[in-house]
Amino acid sequence: MSKVFFTGDLHFGHENVLAFDHRPFETVEEMDAELIRRWNHKVGKGDQVYVLGDFIWKTRNDDAPSLIKSLNGQIILIKGNHDRFLHNAKAKEALAGIKDYDHICVTLEDGTKKRVILSHYFIPMYNGHRHQAIHLHAHSHFTDEADFEVDYAAYLNGIGCRNEIYNVGCMYWNFEPVTLDEILAQGRTIRPN
């Protein structure tokens, strides 16, 4: 049976992200190779992967189609602010879909169905937040903004405005795609020190 995975902020080909995220790679080439290896180790050919933005850095435009084809699964991109590779028609064709925002239904391993709202950006009042929908996003990396998002979501829950929000940026998940079951088992997004 195929699985549904989520990830974001991969930034393939982006050298500056190594320092920005304190990524554990010496070079951008090492990072790209390891991201591909971890992805393909976990994701099967028939699986579906939602990339919540900032997939491939602009310097990799010419390599984008072959990079996408080297990754297992059907890839649906929820556009981020750094997805400039989308100007490449062959790269766009290599993706299974491109959207600004999406809402889907995901079946957990126990058979429970969950409504999931997908965006590159944190949305505190997302569609269905009062009705047990889950919001997945990326964008904020390990920044103060990420801490603010977690604090603000907790504040809203504290005043009775229910929400369930998780950051699926790859840096939070060992640089590999994750299932909704894994996300829910991990719990609240916490930035490591």
Side-chain angles (χ1 to χ4, degrees), residues 11-24:
H11 285 261
F12 278 107
H14 189 183
E15 188 170 358
N16 290 342
V17 81
L18 295 171
F20 183 76
D21 282 341
H22 305 289
R23 293 189 180 196

Side-chain angles (χ1 to χ4, degrees), residues 17-162:
V17 81
L18 295 171
F20 183 76
D21 282 341
H22 305 289
R23 293 189 180 196
F25 310 107
E26 294 296 320
T27 65
V28 73
E29 292 79 15
E30 178 190 348
M31 177 185 75
D32 289 357
E34 187 60 17
L35 289 173
I36 292 168
R37 188 193 71 75
R38 291 182 192 196
W39 178 304
N40 288 338
H41 177 74
K42 196 163 184 186
V43 177
K45 296 277 186 197
D47 293 335
Q48 193 168 47
V49 183
Y50 286 88
V51 177
L52 303 189
D54 293 359
F55 186 21
I56 302 171
W57 185 244
K58 65 181 180 179
T59 59
R60 292 291 299 257
N61 279 354
D62 294 338
D63 298 333
S66 60
L67 173 67
I68 294 166
K69 290 176 183 174
S70 75
L71 297 166
N72 287 344
Q74 300 299 309
I75 302 168
I76 298 170
L77 175 65
I78 305 299
K79 290 189 285 186
N81 57 309
H82 291 297
D83 288 315
R84 295 180 188 102
F85 79 97
L86 290 173
H87 296 295
N88 183 311
K90 289 182 181 176
K92 286 171 72 171
E93 290 171 10
L95 296 167
I98 303 168
K99 299 180 175 195
D100 293 314
Y101 168 96
D102 204 359
H103 56 93
I104 62 173
C105 183
V106 176
T107 303
L108 299 176
E109 290 175 3
D110 68 3
T112 304
K113 294 185 185 300
K114 293 285 187 179
R115 183 177 179 197
V116 182
I117 309 304
L118 306 173
S119 171
H120 180 58
Y121 306 100
F122 172 84
I123 304 171
M125 302 297 189
Y126 59 92
N127 188 16
H129 69 93
R130 293 177 187 252
H131 305 288
Q132 282 63 53
I134 295 169
H135 172 42
L136 303 181
H137 71 94
H139 181 64
S140 51
H141 295 257
F142 288 154
T143 63
D144 292 342
E145 181 180 350
D147 292 335
F148 175 75
E149 292 165 353
V150 170
D151 292 344
Y152 190 59
Y155 166 75
L156 290 172
N157 276 312
I159 62 169
C161 186
R162 189 208 174 276

